[in-house]
């Protein structure tokens, strides 16, 4: 059997939001994929430290994380970069000018820092621990992995994010993070010295778009964003209706 290199988005693709877990049929599919000699990884927007902790529990220790800006192989971080620092600093200065609260993640740990008490008081999600640093200076920030702002659904249409990539995971806030999972997948495939066409990617959301329509095949879950389905090689069933299992059967991998 031809060995395939499979990259699964995590939230909404492997992990069912309704069940708040990986469905049993998907877990069984992952086990069979590995037993059949295929390479199993994730391609997630989550921070590397967070992604590795979560996926190690599932027996997956090689992964593309940070929206394509890190690769981990056998539990060891091999490459990681942040967002464009100057571009982020310019946007943060703009936020200060318009009175927009913000927070940043500057280390590979689930902590974000903010100079705004307003951001802390109006905490919008439990993604990471939030630390108030009143004298946090924008121009002294080095590597920036993620940025966060409160932003009601639809308000982004009136805002200028100055080219910094962003994603929305809730109706109350916006995350600024890399959205180029294809970059990490290519780096991973290059690391192993295998052709890109041996990859197979699975996704459901807007931040999966960059890894669809590439040199490899792609699978959109039945619950996926409609434009992603249009770009997919194959559309499987809903995540809660054995979507991963059915796709792997379709491609003859299990």
């Amino acid at each position: 059997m031809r060995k395939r290199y499979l990259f699964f988005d995590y939230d909404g693709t492997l992990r069912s939001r309704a069940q708040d877990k990986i469905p049993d049929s998907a877990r069984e599919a992952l086990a069979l994929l590995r037993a059949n000699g295929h390479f199993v990884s994730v391609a997630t927007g989550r921070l590397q430290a967070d992604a590795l902790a979560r996926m190690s529990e599932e027996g997956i220790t090689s992964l593309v994380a940070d929206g394509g800006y890190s690769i981990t192989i056998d539990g060891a971080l091999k490459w990681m970069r942040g967002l464009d620092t100057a571009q982020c600093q310019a946007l943060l200065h703009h936020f200060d000018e318009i009175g927009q609260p913000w927070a940043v993640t500057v280390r590979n740990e689930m902590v974000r820092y903010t100079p705004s008490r307003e951001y802390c008081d109006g905490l919008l999600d439990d993604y990471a621990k939030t630390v108030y640093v009143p004298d946090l200076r924008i121009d002294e920030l080095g590597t920036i992995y993620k940025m966060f702002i409160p932003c009601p659904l639809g308000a982004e249409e009136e805002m200028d994010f100055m080219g910094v990539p962003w994603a929305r995971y809730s109706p109350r806030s916006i995350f600024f993070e890399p959205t180029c999972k294809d970059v990490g997948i290519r780096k991973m495939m290059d690391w192993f010295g295998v052709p890109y066409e041996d990859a197979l990617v699975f996704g459901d959301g807007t931040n999966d778009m960059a890894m669809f329509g590439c040199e490899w095949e792609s699978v959109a879950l039945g619950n996926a964003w409609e434009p992603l389905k249009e770009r997919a090689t194959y559309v499987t069933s809903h995540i809660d209706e054995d979507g991963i299992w059915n796709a792997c059967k379709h491609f003859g991998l299990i």
Side-chain angles (χ1 to χ4, degrees):
M1 182 182 293
R2 172 190 175 194
K3 181 174 182 177
R4 301 299 296 270
Y5 292 74
L6 294 94
F7 297 87
F8 297 89
D9 168 59
Y10 181 61
D11 298 288
T13 299
L14 267 186
R15 182 185 72 87
S16 164
R17 291 187 172 91
Q19 301 181 44
D20 193 26
K21 68 173 187 175
I22 298 178
D24 291 341
S25 63
R27 276 205 170 92
E28 187 176 353
L30 295 178
L32 285 173
L33 288 169
R34 288 191 288 257
N36 289 341
H38 301 295
F39 174 81
V40 175
S41 178
V42 296
T44 176
R46 287 180 177 266
L47 193 70
Q48 188 270 349
D50 179 32
L52 182 59
R54 290 172 179 271
M55 299 318 303
S56 293
E57 296 177 357
E58 304 296 334
I60 298 174
T61 57
S62 294
L63 49 99
V64 171
D66 297 276
Y69 273 14
S70 74
I71 63 170
T72 301
I73 298 174
D74 294 333
L77 178 62
K78 299 299 184 181
W79 171 78
M80 185 174 187
R81 59 168 291 188
L83 293 161
D84 183 288
T85 302
Q87 194 177 37
C88 288
Q89 289 173 335
L91 182 56
L92 292 175
H93 279 300
H94 172 65
F95 285 155
D96 277 356
E97 290 169 1
I98 64 174
Q100 171 69 63
W102 53 267
V104 293
T105 294
V106 295
R107 299 184 181 89
N108 186 23
E109 57 186 22
M110 294 301 289
V111 180
R112 57 190 167 193
Y113 302 90
T114 179
S116 170
R117 180 66 73 181
E118 182 182 355
Y119 189 97
C120 295
D121 293 343
L123 193 60
L124 302 172
D125 58 68
D126 58 358
Y127 176 77
K129 177 182 178 181
T130 302
V131 177
Y132 174 56
V133 183
D135 60 348
L136 188 63
R137 300 182 184 279
I138 294 171
D139 292 331
E140 294 178 2
L141 296 173
T143 302
I144 299 173
Y145 293 115
K146 294 181 185 290
M147 305 193 302
F148 312 83
I149 62 167
C151 182
L153 190 63
E156 66 273 16
E157 297 175 7
E158 304 298 324
M159 301 181 73
D160 180 9
F161 295 145
M162 303 172 66
V164 180
W166 59 277
R168 179 182 284 283
Y169 302 115
S170 85
R172 301 181 65 196
S173 63
I174 280 178
F175 287 29
F176 295 89
E177 61 184 22
T179 55
C180 47
K181 295 180 181 182
D182 57 312
V183 171
I185 291 171
R186 289 189 179 92
K187 280 192 173 289
M188 182 80 82
M189 300 297 280
D190 289 343
W191 182 277
F192 290 117
V194 293
Y196 295 155
E197 56 264 30
D198 285 347
L200 177 62
V201 304
F202 296 70
D204 76 297
T206 58
N207 70 340
D208 296 319
M209 199 66 152
M211 68 176 182
F212 275 50
C214 298
E215 302 93 325
W216 47 75
E217 294 176 301
S218 55
V219 176
L221 276 289
N223 50 284
W225 185 45
E226 287 302 320
L228 193 71
K229 291 181 181 179
E230 294 171 5
R231 187 176 287 195
T233 305
Y234 178 71
V235 178
T236 186
S237 52
H238 193 285
I239 184 175
D240 294 321
E241 297 171 355
D242 303 326
I244 297 296
W245 174 272
N246 291 336
C248 292
K249 290 289 287 185
H250 170 81
F251 283 94
L253 304 176
I254 60 175

